[in-house]
Amino acid sequence: MTEKTKAGHLKPETKEKLKLCLEMAATDTVDLMTEAYGQNLFEKEGRGDKVWLYKGAKEALTCMEKLKRILNDDELSVGDPNDRKISPEAQAAALLESVAKKLEERKQRPS
C-alpha cells in the first residue's frame, strides 16, 4: 500500500470534497462580509442584518478551520492509524454531514 492509500487515512475523493467545502466556505465568508459592509448601522434593521451576516461569516470561518484541521491531521499523521480514537474518515464524514445540515437550515430560513 502506498502512503496515500493506507487504512485510516482519508480517501482521495473525501479529500477533494473537503477541499471543495473549504473553498465554498471561503466564498460564503466573502459574500456575507461584503453584504454586511453595505448595511446601515443607523437603522435597527440594518444593524440586525449586519449582526446576522457576521454570525454567518463566523460560522463559515469555523467550518473552514475544522476542515483545515482534518486535512492537516491526515497529512501529518504518522504511525499506526488504527490507534486513533476517531479516524480522519469518520471526522470528515461527521463534518460533511454538519455542513450539509447547516446549508439545509440556511435554505429553510425566510429571506
Side-chain angles (χ1 to χ4, degrees), residues 55-68:
K55 283 182 180 180
K58 182 178 107 175
E59 287 295 320
L61 290 170
T62 300
C63 286
M64 286 177 65
E65 186 57 37
K66 289 179 180 180
L67 289 162
K68 284 173 38 178

Side-chain angles (χ1 to χ4, degrees), residues 46-104:
R47 284 191 303 274
D49 286 351
K50 189 168 196 126
V51 168
W52 187 82
L53 290 162
Y54 272 32
K55 283 182 180 180
K58 182 178 107 175
E59 287 295 320
L61 290 170
T62 300
C63 286
M64 286 177 65
E65 186 57 37
K66 289 179 180 180
L67 289 162
K68 284 173 38 178
R69 200 174 308 147
I70 291 170
L71 289 166
N72 286 340
D73 179 54
D74 185 64
E75 290 294 322
L76 300 174
S77 62
V78 292
D80 185 4
N82 297 324
D83 289 343
R84 297 181 187 182
K85 291 179 183 167
I86 301 174
S87 72
E89 193 69 30
Q91 282 180 314
L95 185 59
L96 288 170
E97 185 178 323
S98 74
V99 167
K101 183 180 172 188
K102 283 185 192 259
L103 286 173
E104 189 57 37

Side-chain angles (χ1 to χ4, degrees), residues 17-32:
K17 287 179 184 177
L18 290 172
K19 288 176 184 177
L20 176 62
C21 287
L22 190 63
E23 199 174 301
M24 289 167 45
T27 301
D28 282 350
T29 300
V30 171
D31 291 346
L32 290 163

